[in-house]
Amino acid sequence: MKNKSLISINDYTPEELLKIIDIAGEFEKNPVQDILRGKVIATLFFEPSTRTRLSFESAVNRLGGRIIGFTDASSSSVKKGESLKDTIRTVSNYSDLIVMRHPLDGSARYASEVATVPVVNAGDGANQHPTQCLLDLFSIKKTQGTLENLNIFLVGDLKYGRTVHSLLMAMSNFNPTFNFISPEELRIPNEYKLFLDKKGIKYYEHLDFSDIISKADIVYMTRIQRERFSDPMEYEKVKNSYVLHNYMLKDTKDNLKILHPLPRVNEISEDVDENEKAYYFTQALNGVFTRQAIISSILGLK
Amino acid sequence: MTDKRILSVSAIKNGTVIDHIPANSLFKVISILELDKLDTQMTFGTNFISKKLGQKALIKISNKFFEDAEIDKIALVAPEAKLNIIEDYQVIEKRDVEVPDKIVGIVKCMNPNCVTNNENVLTKFDVISKKEVTLKCCYCEKITDQDHLKII
């Protein structure tokens, strides 16, 4: 993986995914190391994403690296009309690796073509967010002991949620069963169902999940946004069907864990937070170890 | 060469004849093959009657022989096109065009939020299906299908 940009989760083979997860496990045991001393990591956030940026910066800081960059496009020369290419070329001169968040789909792939240093995609529009996917995989492996043969429930906005799509693609390497739970308007797109059919992976679609949750190993919750609905009445009708409450976890499996990419609004009721099956805050912490693993593998240090 | 319609456009001694181009794709083919940049003799004919296409166009280019990869690009706009390679007034080879595995340039990505539609980036696609042409953008990873295929 040395010098290889990470743009899309599909860029990594299943073996490479597992390798990153293993290295993330090492960082979890020993998160403070001086291996990035003398390295400069650029974090270019053309749109704000506080959580992702802080996670990357925490990862680099704990490894002794230094950070340069900007936190939104208004404080960079993009405002003066500089092209993405010129920004990336310039910053390549100043850094050993570029972490980039950008509102345009495909911007990260393009940046990796013009950069002279590796690029890590921290979200390109509605397209990909591979480091989120890797931290999800790490969280699943850590809590379940394996990635193989799991029953995974994906809940909420399955149409637009890019984390859901990436997770689906990545987990498809490990013989899962998927249960898709969403309102009619936000069902999983056909192209993903065709992909699963082709791979021979079992999946089921539901409008409600309260009576089937007892089968789940992982419940991956996502936020349903009002603006995704063409009819606001439809949103009002369905919004409460996709909220997880503590009482719903009563008869669930012991190994069940609840994941959420955060930020949460109301789709997980706060009474779930104290349940030991709630995992979303630890999941966010795992993001730091995963990003340490990604950066240090790409720089050839692990 | 008994076809009077083809002979109604003067024959060439050496070069390439591209036949069975849909009449409304002639200028797209010219632009895809960048024929406007060549300095050899060329004849363009259009709105000929064709049993298969209704109206067809053809192009005769003297002293020009295309690489497969170069000529296959026109399959996007002229999938039925037939190539005749001419040497000394004789057809020495006939071949069909085939949609290539990768398309660089030529086509616009249909996703308005794609980087190729917002920055100065040449488009690039993997061809997922050749029959009903389906392209996957190498940048935004979205699909552009036959119905939304726009030539740049």
Side-chain angles (χ1 to χ4, degrees):
Chain A
M1 279 160 274
K2 195 178 173 199
N3 290 326
K4 186 173 166 186
S5 291
L6 173 57
I7 304 303
S8 166
I9 196 68
N10 312 325
D11 292 350
Y12 279 13
T13 62
E15 293 72 35
E16 287 174 321
L17 296 174
L18 288 168
K19 175 126 192 281
I20 295 283
I21 291 170
D22 283 348
I23 298 171
E26 289 172 30
F27 280 116
E28 182 187 23
K29 286 184 211 120
N30 191 7
V32 183
Q33 301 180 32
D34 218 17
I35 57 174
L36 288 184
R37 176 177 289 277
K39 299 283 185 197
V40 176
I41 309 297
T43 52
L44 309 186
F45 279 65
F46 292 87
E47 65 177 6
S49 171
T50 311
R51 194 177 315 272
T52 303
R53 183 172 56 82
L54 293 182
S55 173
F56 267 107
E57 296 188 353
S58 170
V60 172
N61 278 314
R62 285 180 179 175
L63 298 181
R66 303 301 292 252
I67 288 165
I68 57 170
F70 49 82
T71 57
D72 72 279
S74 65
S75 61
S76 80
S77 48
V78 176
K79 216 185 160 198
K80 300 175 191 160
E82 188 179 51
S83 69
L84 177 59
K85 181 178 172 180
D86 286 7
T87 307
I88 296 297
R89 281 266 168 87
T90 310
V91 175
S92 289
N93 294 330
Y94 305 151
S95 60
D96 299 290
L97 182 144
I98 294 173
V99 174
M100 184 178 92
R101 171 90 162 205
H102 197 286
L104 289 175
D105 305 348
S107 52
R109 179 76 62 198
Y110 177 58
S112 73
E113 288 176 355
V114 296
T116 53
V117 296
V119 174
V120 173
N121 182 6
D124 62 324
N127 183 31
Q128 285 274 340
H129 192 1
T131 64
Q132 173 72 45
C133 186
L134 273 157
L135 81 86
D136 292 342
L137 294 180
F138 175 73
S139 299
I140 294 172
K141 172 96 191 297
K142 194 181 143 189
T143 57
Q144 307 298 318
T146 176
L147 292 178
E148 303 280 345
N149 312 317
L150 297 171
N151 196 332
I152 298 177
F153 282 46
L154 299 168
V155 185
D157 179 356
L158 307 187
K159 184 171 180 186
Y160 299 100
R162 68 180 168 193
T163 52
V164 166
H165 300 158
S166 301
L167 187 63
L168 180 153
M169 301 292 279
M171 284 306 293
S172 298
N173 295 305
F174 307 103
N175 189 38
T177 302
F178 286 115
N179 282 278
F180 300 126
I181 299 110
S182 71
E184 194 63 40
E185 283 203 42
L186 298 177
R187 281 170 60 171
I188 191 95
N190 237 344
E191 57 182 289
Y192 293 101
K193 289 196 267 179
L194 292 174
F195 170 80
L196 295 175
D197 287 338
K198 223 185 225 174
K199 288 207 120 191
I201 291 169
K202 290 196 289 286
Y203 62 88
Y204 307 93
E205 292 185 271
H206 316 271
L207 292 172
D208 183 12
F209 72 133
S210 43
D211 52 343
I212 45 169
I213 192 172
S214 61
K215 292 181 183 159
D217 296 309
I218 291 289
V219 171
Y220 196 97
M221 300 293 296
T222 62
R223 189 153 46 102
I224 292 185
Q225 289 163 286
R226 185 189 300 263
E227 55 271 26
R228 297 296 191 199
F229 285 82
S230 44
D231 177 1
M233 280 301 292
E234 195 58 31
Y235 170 77
E236 294 302 323
K237 260 195 281 179
V238 304
K239 65 175 183 187
N240 292 323
S241 315
Y242 305 95
V243 175
L244 186 68
H245 298 282
N246 198 34
Y247 68 82
M248 295 163 72
L249 297 174
K250 213 171 63 195
D251 295 319
T252 52
K253 286 184 170 182
D254 292 339
N255 62 313
L256 169 68
K257 289 286 182 270
I258 315 297
L259 270 60
H260 190 300
L262 303 181
R264 152 183 70 172
V265 181
N266 61 357
E267 58 278 8
I268 302 177
S269 146
E270 285 197 27
D271 63 10
V272 178
D273 294 359
E274 304 315 316
N275 193 311
E276 57 177 26
K277 292 172 182 172
Y279 195 72
Y280 28 93
F281 293 115
T282 318
Q283 182 187 359
L285 169 64
N286 291 341
V288 176
F289 309 135
T290 310
R291 288 172 178 123
Q292 287 180 319
I294 291 164
I295 290 171
S296 52
S297 331
I298 292 175
L299 290 176
L301 303 167
K302 281 281 167 181
Chain B
M1 299 293 278
T2 52
D3 191 332
K4 281 178 189 153
R5 273 178 289 117
I6 290 182
L7 290 177
S8 69
V9 180
S10 66
I12 54 173
K13 186 174 181 208
N14 294 305
T16 306
V17 175
I18 309 171
D19 197 2
H20 297 287
I21 300 167
N24 59 7
S25 292
L26 173 64
F27 290 95
K28 287 176 191 156
V29 170
I30 291 171
S31 120
I32 289 171
L33 293 176
E34 299 185 328
L35 298 181
D36 52 334
K37 292 183 184 136
L38 289 183
D39 55 5
T40 61
Q41 283 192 2
M42 275 174 252
T43 335
F44 304 118
T46 189
N47 297 334
F48 293 110
I49 308 292
S50 157
K51 273 189 206 130
K52 227 193 292 179
L53 300 168
Q55 289 196 305
K56 69 166 185 177
L58 66 81
I59 301 175
K60 297 189 174 195
I61 312 154
S62 289
N63 302 318
K64 171 78 186 171
F65 303 93
F66 294 94
E67 299 287 333
D68 288 359
E70 203 178 356
I71 199 76
D72 275 343
K73 293 190 218 164
I74 70 167
L76 289 175
V77 295
E80 311 272 345
K82 297 268 181 297
L83 242 61
N84 294 312
I85 317 298
I86 314 287
E87 263 181 38
D88 200 21
Y89 298 106
Q90 299 296 312
V91 178
I92 58 153
E93 190 194 332
K94 278 177 181 275
R95 77 173 200 86
D96 300 327
V97 293
E98 193 197 348
V99 180
D101 296 331
K102 263 188 180 294
I103 308 275
V104 178
I106 307 172
V107 181
K108 190 175 147 69
C109 178
M110 71 172 277
N111 171 12
N113 199 43
C114 178
V115 68
T116 59
N117 288 317
N118 293 275
E119 294 267 338
N120 184 20
V121 185
L122 191 64
T123 61
K124 202 157 56 174
F125 300 90
D126 288 325
V127 178
I128 305 194
S129 158
K130 296 191 178 184
K131 216 163 177 202
E132 275 284 303
V133 176
T134 309
L135 309 177
K136 185 178 184 184
C137 176
C138 294
Y139 293 98
C140 74
E141 305 182 19
K142 298 283 179 297
I143 302 290
T144 295
D145 58 21
Q146 185 107 58
D147 297 341
H148 298 89
L149 203 133
K150 268 205 190 122
I151 303 294
I152 296 170

